[in-house]
Amino acid sequence: QVQLVESGGGLVQTGGSLTLSCAASGSIFSINAMGWYRQGPGKQRELVATTTSPGNTNYADSVKGRFTISRDNAKNTVYLQMNSLKPEDTAVYYCNAEIRSTWYVSRYRDYWGQGTQVTVSS
């Protein structure tokens, strides 16, 4: 069984910062990409940032220059450093990972965390 657990959400003022973390645990064989998605009020879920095992990163245009994704492979953890937060960043943030389980090693599967709320006051 594989589980992703997010933490670090909360309430901040415009211009503030938050750091989200997501730790994967369980029967993990390997992890390829890890990333963050978000879903704001009345919006569809959208990609925020992703990083692959080799370290390549990809960001949504709306967060470039403000958010930084990083990972600690030894801890199976991905982070999202969010700076200069804006009210439009308010959303539930979801962790995503492409993981090969030890019980299913033939291909990667997508796993999702439960989400953590980020609220930016105006």
Side-chain angles (χ1 to χ4, degrees), residues 45-77:
R45 187 174 298 187
E46 64 178 354
L47 183 147
V48 177
T50 61
T51 180
T52 61
S53 293
N56 292 326
T57 58
N58 182 46
Y59 295 92
D61 289 340
S62 60
V63 306
K64 286 181 179 178
R66 300 188 297 119
F67 291 10
T68 302
I69 189 170
S70 62
R71 64 193 293 177
D72 185 336
N73 291 331
K75 297 180 179 180
N76 291 328
T77 300

Side-chain angles (χ1 to χ4, degrees), residues 4-110:
L4 271 60
V5 179
E6 303 109 330
S7 63
L11 174 65
V12 297
Q13 295 181 347
T14 298
S17 298
L18 281 175
T19 299
L20 307 182
S21 64
C22 171
S25 62
S27 302
I28 298 171
F29 180 77
S30 64
I31 301 177
N32 187 31
M34 301 188 78
W36 293 92
Y37 293 71
R38 68 185 181 187
Q39 186 168 16
K43 299 180 180 179
Q44 295 183 336
R45 187 174 298 187
E46 64 178 354
L47 183 147
V48 177
T50 61
T51 180
T52 61
S53 293
N56 292 326
T57 58
N58 182 46
Y59 295 92
D61 289 340
S62 60
V63 306
K64 286 181 179 178
R66 300 188 297 119
F67 291 10
T68 302
I69 189 170
S70 62
R71 64 193 293 177
D72 185 336
N73 291 331
K75 297 180 179 180
N76 291 328
T77 300
V78 64
Y79 305 91
L80 185 68
Q81 176 68 49
M82 303 184 294
N83 299 321
S84 302
L85 284 163
K86 306 174 181 179
E88 49 263 45
D89 294 319
T90 295
V92 177
Y93 285 71
Y94 297 91
C95 177
N96 171 263
E98 297 177 340
I99 298 175
R100 292 183 186 236
S101 169
T102 56
W103 297 103
Y104 195 80
V105 301
S106 62
R107 64 185 294 272
Y108 289 107
R109 289 183 171 184
D110 280 336

